């Protein structure tokens, strides 16, 4: 199906499309999501089709209040409650045992559902108004760069969806931290907007798993978030060609003619780098250069999430 894609700030318009079973791109504090009614399997099918996403890769369900959360999962204990109290609304996704209300497809047949309450007023109001939770993966085509502005979404999904709810540029800029328990021990499946050291006062030491080693956390494919222009970490390969785009952490470096650079955080702050990461990749990618080279950022705090995304963006995808 082909749509004329509108961008706007009208929650009523967004609600009416979602109630009809169509998809709307929504702003969150992390990245824009491609949302549909999480309780409607047909809407979930549209999400997978529109993104060209494989069906084995489950979707995060976004809620606006505790009642919605509790309708989607089995009971939760005090530790889970403490996490919700500390980080919701915010960039933390919890994997919890799901209730029968969640369609199989949304969880790719797994026993757990991924839940989060996004920290964005427009989207919280939208979910309240719809009255149902929203399943929403990031609003990019499968494997490509995540969107942090309405314009990024339009660039990839023009004609594929009727409406993009414009909530401005995303405040955090990298996806949520995904967290779950295995045999009563907490694991971090994806580094994200909430850091390990922020979590530890509540749940103690948590193991960060490199989920790409273990496709049990399916979306964590080793290649992901990729620009069209080939990307390497640190150094260009020998045969990269002349026109290179550099993604720098905090300062410009001398370049040769034909090269371009984007500085993630002129102020040296990792949060600034996270916020500008995808915009930098989108911008360099649009220049049609031969090769992109990313400088890893300091590997602490939210820097871990940034380096994780850069590594995946640089990984070679299977044909
Ligand atoms: O910040 C975010 O999390 C954004 C915004 C839109 O909320 N969403 C996002 O969704 O990043 P997506 O689909 O691009 O990434 C979701 C990740 C995938 O790696 C997926 O495999 C994993 O979450 N996931 C979702 N449901 C899961 C489940 N039931 N069990 C294990 N992993 C799950
Ligand atoms: Mg994604």
């Amino acid at each position: 199906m082909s749509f004329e894609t509108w961008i706007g700030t009208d929650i009523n318009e967004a609600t009416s499309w979602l109630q009809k079973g169509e998809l709307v791109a929504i702003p969150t504090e992390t990245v824009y999501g491609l949302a549909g009614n999480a309780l409607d399997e047909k809407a979930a099918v549209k999400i997978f089709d529109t993104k060209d996403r494989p069906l084995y890769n489950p979707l995060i369900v976004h809620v606006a209040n505790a009642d919605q959360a509790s309708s989607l999962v089995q009971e939760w204990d005090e530790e889970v409650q403490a996490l919700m109290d500390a980080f919701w609304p915010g960039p933390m996704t919890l994997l919890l045992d799901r209730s029968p209300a969640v369609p199989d497809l949304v969880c790719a047949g797994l026993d757990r559902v991924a839940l989060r309450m996004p920290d964005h007023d427009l989207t919280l109001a939208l979910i309240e108004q719809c009255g149902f939770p929203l399943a929403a993966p990031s609003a990019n085509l499968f494997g490509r760069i995540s969107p942090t502005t309405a314009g990024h979404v339009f660039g990839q999904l023009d004609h594929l969806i009727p409406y993009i709810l414009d909530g401005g540029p995303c405040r955090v800029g990298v996806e949520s931290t995904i967290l779950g328990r295995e045999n009563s021990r907490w694991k971090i499946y994806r580094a994200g907007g909430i850091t390990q050291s922020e979590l530890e006062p509540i749940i103690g030491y948590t193991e960060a798993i490199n989920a790409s080693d273990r496709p049990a956390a399916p979306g964590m494919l080793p290649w992901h978030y990729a620009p069209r222009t080939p990307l390497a970490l640190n150094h260009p390969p020998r045969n990269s060609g002349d026109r290179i785009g550099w993604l720098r952490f905090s300062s410009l470096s001398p370049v040769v003619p034909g090269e371009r650079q984007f500085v993630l955080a002129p102020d040296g702050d990792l949060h600034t780098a996270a916020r500008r990461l995808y915009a930098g990749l989108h911008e360099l990618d649009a220049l049609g250069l031969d090769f992109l080279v990313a400088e890893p950022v300091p590997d602490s705090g939210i820097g871990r999430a940034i380096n994780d995304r850069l590594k995946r963006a640089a990984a070679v995808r299977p044909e």
Side-chain angles (χ1 to χ4, degrees):
M1 191 140 147
S2 178
F3 295 93
E4 189 176 353
T5 303
W6 289 79
I7 303 181
T9 56
D10 185 349
I11 295 185
N12 296 330
E13 172 93 17
T15 302
S16 99
W17 284 113
L18 288 163
Q19 284 174 340
K20 278 188 272 193
E22 298 298 343
L23 309 184
V24 167
I26 56 166
T28 82
E29 78 283 26
T30 58
V31 301
Y32 275 71
L34 175 62
N37 180 352
L39 305 179
D40 172 5
E41 193 143 40
K42 288 201 191 105
V45 170
K46 281 188 190 164
I47 294 176
F48 285 99
D49 281 355
T50 303
K51 273 189 70 116
D52 216 4
R53 178 176 175 118
L55 292 172
Y56 59 73
N57 196 0
L59 308 174
I60 295 180
V61 179
H62 297 68
V63 297
N65 54 58
D67 284 348
Q68 278 182 341
S70 67
S71 71
L72 299 170
V73 301
Q74 314 286 333
E75 281 178 341
W76 63 68
D77 59 21
E78 281 172 14
E79 212 172 19
V80 169
Q81 184 63 50
L83 284 168
M84 291 174 173
D85 290 344
F87 301 113
W88 279 3
M92 175 189 69
T93 295
L94 289 171
L95 298 183
L96 298 171
D97 289 336
R98 66 170 162 138
S99 78
V102 188
D104 283 346
L105 189 61
V106 169
C107 300
L110 300 168
D111 294 336
R112 293 188 293 183
V113 60
L115 278 197
R116 96 176 187 94
M117 190 184 293
D119 187 14
H120 197 293
D121 289 348
L122 213 50
T123 287
L124 289 173
L126 174 70
I127 299 172
E128 292 279 2
Q129 187 163 312
C130 287
F132 46 75
L134 295 177
S138 50
N140 50 280
L141 296 173
F142 181 62
R144 306 231 69 96
I145 307 172
S146 304
T148 51
T149 65
H152 292 160
V153 178
F154 189 81
Q156 293 192 39
L157 301 185
D158 182 23
H159 295 305
L160 298 179
I161 56 174
Y163 199 68
I164 300 170
L165 186 63
D166 188 352
C170 300
R171 177 173 62 75
V172 174
V174 290
E175 290 83 349
S176 60
T177 301
I178 302 181
L179 197 64
R181 256 184 312 212
E182 283 177 30
N183 305 321
S184 69
R185 304 197 47 182
W186 288 97
K187 311 249 153 121
I188 297 175
Y189 296 93
R190 177 174 73 181
I194 301 284
T195 63
Q196 205 164 348
S197 57
E198 287 172 299
L199 291 168
E200 283 179 357
I202 296 175
I203 53 175
Y205 172 76
T206 42
E207 192 189 348
I209 338 186
N210 180 0
S212 62
D213 298 341
R214 241 194 17 167
M220 303 313 292
L221 299 166
W223 43 274
H224 210 126
Y225 313 101
R228 279 159 207 270
T229 321
L231 178 135
L233 293 183
N234 282 311
H235 304 289
R238 255 176 228 288
N239 58 352
S240 58
D242 294 337
R243 297 173 316 128
I244 294 174
W246 296 88
L247 193 70
R248 306 278 190 199
F249 172 46
S250 58
S251 55
L252 294 168
S253 297
V255 290
V256 299
E259 293 185 347
R260 303 289 286 271
Q261 43 190 339
F262 185 99
V263 176
L264 286 174
D267 60 2
D269 185 333
L270 283 168
H271 290 97
T272 310
R275 190 159 57 241
R276 286 163 50 80
L277 173 68
Y278 291 130
L281 285 171
H282 277 284
E283 197 166 298
L284 288 173
D285 199 23
L287 296 173
L289 301 167
D290 296 323
F291 221 91
L292 304 183
V293 184
E295 196 175 86
V297 305
D299 201 44
S300 62
I302 204 167
R304 291 209 182 161
I306 299 173
N307 287 334
D308 168 79
R309 304 306 186 270
L310 289 175
K311 226 184 295 161
R312 290 177 211 279
V316 178
R317 34 188 325 169
E319 290 302 320

